Amino acid sequence: MRTQVFYFLLLLALSSTATAQVFTGSFDLVVAQQYPNGNVRTDTVSYFFTPKRTAMILHGRAKEPDMRMIFDNDTEEIVVLFLLDGKKLGYTLPMDEAHWPGMPHALKSPPKTLPLATSGSEKEIEGRKTREVRSENDDYVATVWIDIDIPLSMTQVLSYQSVGKGKSKKEIELFNQLGVSGFPLEVLLKSKKGKADVQLKVINLSTNVDAAVFSSEGYTVSKME
């Protein structure tokens, strides 16, 4: 569906009855991969949260079109919208774990306390106070700046990318291994094995949500099982 960074996000990142999350707001998640040869690749995903609906836009690079997904708790459907040869098309999927493997993580309420002791360092990001947490597993050393007052977790956010039967949840397990909950506004993953270092950064954090992002008006939408 996308290139390498989106595969990373798809990996990173209840039953059929959905539980509403409590955060209302929007932000862009910028993901940069820096390779050992010095090359850097940057991609952006936009998120829009309300108690009943969530939308996500995967921004295409170069000539790639954007893809928008709408998660509607009332209809229990996922609407996927995109442009193809200039035509506005889309399809719907049932909102269940078979079609959305990350669903249990996306709809689980995050803990209200930090899972690990902080380093004691604090810094302001997007006008908010964050605290530094460090952790590691076999593959990465992680430096994470967490805002404990935003009722989201990174596994929640990235789980919205795991749409499609058989999608992996490997990187959700990575965050679980690192013991990182809460909502990080910045994450730096330094590879221990000579692979790309990865930085995730939240920008344009706002309490406002444009209702138009949940509209499929003008799109020809089909139903998929």
Side-chain angles (χ1 to χ4, degrees), residues 140-214:
Y140 294 100
V141 175
T143 303
V144 186
W145 294 90
I146 293 178
D147 184 333
I148 63 173
D149 295 323
I150 296 178
L152 283 175
S153 69
M154 189 56 76
T155 52
Q156 244 184 323
V157 169
L158 297 177
S159 290
Y160 282 94
Q161 297 258 353
S162 63
V163 173
K165 289 186 176 181
K167 289 294 183 182
S168 171
K169 297 183 288 185
K170 182 178 179 181
E171 303 303 346
I172 294 174
E173 295 167 1
L174 164 63
F175 266 78
N176 288 337
Q177 291 170 10
L178 294 172
V180 177
S181 58
F183 188 48
L185 298 189
E186 284 187 11
V187 178
L188 177 60
L189 300 174
K190 297 284 292 183
S191 175
K192 292 181 175 181
K193 299 183 177 179
K195 298 181 179 180
D197 296 334
V198 182
Q199 182 182 52
L200 295 84
K201 187 171 183 179
V202 170
I203 63 171
N204 301 323
L205 181 62
S206 173
T207 56
N208 298 319
V209 177
D210 183 358
V213 77
F214 300 112

Side-chain angles (χ1 to χ4, degrees), residues 69-84:
M69 296 185 186
I70 303 166
F71 300 76
D72 193 317
N73 289 356
D74 285 337
T75 64
E76 295 187 354
E77 285 187 329
I78 302 169
V79 183
V80 183
L81 304 172
F82 53 91
L83 286 175
L84 181 63

Side-chain angles (χ1 to χ4, degrees), residues 21 48-55 70-73 211 214-215:
Q21 55 79 38
F48 308 83
F49 287 90
T50 70
K52 291 294 185 180
R53 293 181 296 180
T54 299
I70 303 166
F71 300 76
D72 193 317
N73 289 356
F214 300 112
S215 173

Side-chain angles (χ1 to χ4, degrees), residues 65-161:
D66 294 350
M67 178 177 288
R68 178 158 48 107
M69 296 185 186
I70 303 166
F71 300 76
D72 193 317
N73 289 356
D74 285 337
T75 64
E76 295 187 354
E77 285 187 329
I78 302 169
V79 183
V80 183
L81 304 172
F82 53 91
L83 286 175
L84 181 63
D85 297 329
K87 297 178 181 179
K88 293 183 175 181
L89 302 175
Y91 56 88
T92 64
L93 295 172
M95 188 186 286
D96 57 31
E97 195 171 343
H99 295 85
W100 180 16
M103 182 177 174
H105 299 276
L107 301 178
K108 183 170 63 176
S109 297
K112 298 181 182 300
T113 57
L114 288 173
L116 300 172
T118 69
S119 68
S121 297
E122 296 182 354
K123 72 174 177 178
E124 187 174 292
I125 303 173
E126 290 290 299
R128 302 188 64 90
K129 183 177 74 173
T130 66
R131 302 176 187 178
E132 183 187 40
V133 171
R134 295 189 178 186
S135 185
E136 63 182 286
N137 68 356
D138 292 340
D139 297 308
Y140 294 100
V141 175
T143 303
V144 186
W145 294 90
I146 293 178
D147 184 333
I148 63 173
D149 295 323
I150 296 178
L152 283 175
S153 69
M154 189 56 76
T155 52
Q156 244 184 323
V157 169
L158 297 177
S159 290
Y160 282 94
Q161 297 258 353

